[in-house]
Amino acid sequence: MSVQEYLDKHMLSRKIEDAVNAAVRAKAPDPVLFISNHMKKSVSSVVTKIKARQILDSRGIPTVEVDLYTNKGMFRAAAPSGSSTGTYEAVELRDGDKGKYHGKSVSRAVKNINEKISEALIGMDPTLQTQIDQAMIDLDKTENKAELGSNAILAVSIAACKAGAAEKETPLYKHIADLSGKTGLVLPVPAFTVISGGKHAGNNLAAQEIMILPVGANTFKEAMQMGSETYHHLKAIITEKYGISGCNVGEDGGFAPNISSFREGLDLVKEAIDRTGYNDKIKIAMDVAATNFCLGTKYDLDFKSPDKSGQNFKTGEDMIEMYTQLCKDYPIVSIEQPFDKEDWEHTKKFSRLGICQVVGDDLLMSNPKRIERAINESTCNALLLKVDQIGTVTEVIEAVKLAKDANWGVVTSHRCGETEDSFIADLAVGLATGQIKAGAPCRGERLVKYNQLLRIEEELGELAVYAGPDWRLP
């Protein structure tokens, strides 16, 4: 790019001329200093450098981290990662070299940032999030970001979003709200993981997570207290019944006692809630992650048991009956992925009962086409929002708009492979999703999200609004 092309791209020639004219009008005693100060105020920051590296996530598996520079400073972001990737989500680019990190290295994604994305974005205005994201999408040229990697594109997109907020001298959550065209800022109800199972823990529980939602709290700060106290009461109960080894935790920080049934886990959680005295103020949610134990047309609830008898297979109808009874016996308000990712019919049938919020995870993969189908067919009524399944901040905002326009709930979600990046906390507030799932009130990579929400609530002061009873549709 020539000097003149650079000046033209950023309208600098016009701004220099304006600065000179202003100095003449002001009869500035030091025109050079006047022009310099005028330019600093009038010229927007641009992306000056992008540097990526490979770091490790909370599981010790490589992921991508990016430092994006403007004249305002350096802005860092890291891409989260799931334990498995779905057919319909954006492609996470890994090297595949079994001799390094068991094939999980991300040096190709890092190289794509340092050599291709960096060159395309240098000189761009970080406040223009849509243009930055579109530039990367155009550079990739695939429908699912397979060329550059969604992990590469997402890390840059988040870093640019942080830089854009700094350029506007506004909090990140407010900048995100501005990008979405929304004005309401809402502190989400946290869905704390308290018991882990499925592929996230070494016990025999088929369900992946049992969570608690402090919907009756008055503030996010109070919700954190409720969550922490319940978590520690649960630890004491598990120690009493299963010994201290039962308090080992899964990947999301939930306890993983040696239990095998949904009811056994739910009874433990209900007892912990009773001990806190919060009772009606705390509700229960489950992430069943049923895709993990679907075999053809049946569901194997003993899929993790070494002593499988083959007697615990359930049909889709059996699962509906089981969920219906559990919702009657326990204060369950939300069930995530109750059926296989391709079991649209049973998901639809259960959702239409209106018993609880039915959250699409594997079913949707945050994919706009699958979200639209689910909306049109009334298959579920909530979106699990995983930013890495989409790949850019702009597309995340569009997915949330699509869900909210259909009066769906939106659960901003972490991944099992997390980092110290707290971006999804600001995202949940800025997009007013009303719900955030970031794991247990335990482990640094989980708490960094919750602690950021505490800071945001404090910063907003009297303007802070906690979703509370309006958690589904704030």
Side-chain angles (χ1 to χ4, degrees):
M1 182 184 295
S2 70
V3 173
Q4 190 56 50
E5 286 174 331
Y6 183 88
L7 291 172
D8 291 343
K9 181 177 179 180
H10 303 292
M11 298 178 66
L12 293 180
S13 296
R14 174 68 62 82
K15 289 173 181 175
I16 292 170
E17 183 180 340
D18 290 344
V20 171
N21 290 334
V24 172
R25 287 195 302 271
K27 297 179 181 178
D30 188 342
V32 174
L33 180 61
F34 183 94
I35 291 169
S36 175
N37 290 334
H38 191 282
M39 288 293 292
K40 285 179 181 178
K41 293 178 181 178
S42 64
V43 178
S44 298
S45 289
V46 296
V47 177
T48 58
K49 178 184 175 183
I50 300 176
K51 172 67 177 175
R53 66 182 63 85
Q54 175 174 283
I55 62 168
L56 299 186
D57 68 20
S58 58
R59 304 163 301 172
I61 293 175
T63 190
V64 179
E65 181 177 79
V66 168
D67 293 345
L68 184 146
Y69 294 80
T70 71
N71 62 17
K72 288 280 188 179
M74 184 272 283
F75 305 92
R76 178 170 290 163
S81 177
S83 59
S84 59
T85 53
T87 310
Y88 307 100
E89 63 182 281
V91 174
E92 182 182 71
L93 189 63
R94 294 193 181 272
D95 298 347
D97 179 356
K98 298 298 183 182
K100 294 181 179 179
Y101 288 102
H102 305 280
K104 297 289 188 179
S105 292
V106 292
S107 61
R108 284 198 295 156
V110 168
K111 185 177 180 181
N112 284 340
I113 295 171
N114 290 336
E115 295 182 2
K116 297 178 181 179
I117 293 176
S118 176
E119 182 180 348
L121 300 190
I122 295 300
M124 292 190 72
D125 183 341
T127 65
L128 303 178
Q129 187 74 40
T130 302
Q131 292 183 21
I132 285 175
D133 291 341
Q134 191 60 52
M136 290 190 285
I137 291 169
D138 292 344
L139 186 65
D140 179 86
K141 295 186 177 69
T142 68
E143 187 177 349
N144 58 0
K145 302 177 177 65
E147 179 65 26
L148 298 175
S150 67
N151 43 353
I153 292 173
L154 176 66
V156 176
S157 182
I158 293 175
C161 191
K162 293 177 180 180
E167 173 61 24
K168 289 165 57 179
E169 298 183 349
T170 192
L172 180 55
Y173 57 86
K174 178 65 169 61
H175 176 52
I176 292 169
D178 292 343
L179 292 173
S180 71
K182 301 294 183 182
T183 55
L185 301 171
V186 179
L187 275 298
V189 170
F192 295 112
T193 303
V194 290
I195 288 186
S196 293
K199 287 190 173 182
H200 288 187
N203 53 16
N204 293 327
L205 179 64
Q208 193 159 276
E209 295 172 81
I210 298 177
M211 297 166 278
I212 55 172
L213 281 70
V215 298
N218 294 310
T219 63
F220 186 83
K221 181 179 179 180
E222 186 180 345
M224 280 298 298
Q225 179 182 335
M226 288 182 178
S228 176
E229 290 176 0
T230 306
Y231 184 79
H232 287 283
H233 274 297
L234 179 60
K235 182 177 182 179
I237 292 167
I238 291 173
T239 302
E240 293 166 12
K241 297 187 177 184
Y242 301 92
I244 193 65
S245 63
C247 294
N248 292 335
V249 299
E251 289 183 339
D252 299 333
F255 297 117
N258 188 25
I259 58 178
S260 56
S261 75
F262 288 47
R263 285 187 176 274
E264 199 173 357
L266 290 165
D267 284 339
L268 291 171
V269 174
K270 191 171 183 297
E271 184 177 346
I273 294 171
D274 289 342
R275 285 196 186 184
T276 66
Y278 294 126
N279 298 319
D280 292 342
K281 292 184 177 182
I282 296 180
K283 302 300 181 183
I284 296 176
M286 293 195 301
D287 174 9
V288 181
T291 298
N292 292 334
F293 54 88
C294 180
L295 300 173
T297 59
K298 292 193 175 183
Y299 295 87
D300 181 11
L301 298 186
D302 284 338
F303 86 106
K304 295 170 64 181
S305 173
D307 306 315
K308 289 200 292 187
S309 63
Q311 301 299 310
N312 211 4
F313 284 97
K314 291 188 179 292
T315 65
E317 294 298 320
D318 293 336
M319 296 291 282
I320 289 175
E321 184 179 336
M322 179 185 73
Y323 294 140
T324 301
Q325 192 58 49
L326 289 176
C327 288
K328 288 179 180 178
D329 297 341
Y330 303 93
I332 296 171
V333 294
S334 180
I335 299 180
E336 179 186 327
Q337 202 55 44
F339 301 95
D340 179 65
K341 65 179 183 296
E342 300 298 350
D343 194 347
W344 290 75
E345 290 308 310
H346 285 108
T347 308
K348 186 186 307 181
K349 187 172 182 180
F350 177 59
S351 180
R352 288 179 176 178
L353 294 177
I355 295 171
C356 66
Q357 174 178 260
V358 178
V359 186
D361 180 11
D362 298 341
L363 181 83
L364 304 175
M365 291 292 177
S366 302
N367 183 306
K369 291 180 180 178
R370 290 177 74 86
I371 295 171
E372 286 177 357
R373 177 184 170 186
I375 290 170
N376 293 334
E377 298 182 11
S378 301
T379 309
C380 56
N381 55 29
L383 165 68
L384 191 74
L385 182 70
K386 294 177 176 177
V387 294
D388 63 310
Q389 289 183 333
I390 303 176
T392 68
V393 172
T394 299
E395 291 167 297
V396 165
I397 291 170
E398 290 170 354
V400 171
K401 185 178 187 304
L402 191 62
K404 282 180 167 275
D405 285 348
N407 288 319
W408 277 20
V410 178
V411 185
T412 302
S413 177
H414 65 161
R415 301 306 306 266
C416 66
E418 266 299 336
T419 71
E420 306 95 318
D421 197 321
S422 63
F423 177 75
I424 64 168
D426 287 80
L427 185 74
V429 175
L431 298 184
T433 61
Q435 304 172 66
I436 188 168
K437 173 184 173 183
C442 159
R443 295 178 53 135
E445 77 279 1
R446 315 295 158 183
L447 286 169
V448 70
K449 282 77 168 167
Y450 295 133
N451 288 339
Q452 174 65 0
L453 287 164
L454 288 172
R455 297 183 196 102
I456 291 172
E457 184 172 63
E458 180 183 87
E459 186 174 284
L460 287 171
E462 293 182 357
L463 297 177
V465 176
Y466 175 63
D470 299 321
W471 56 278
R472 282 207 69 244
L473 300 170

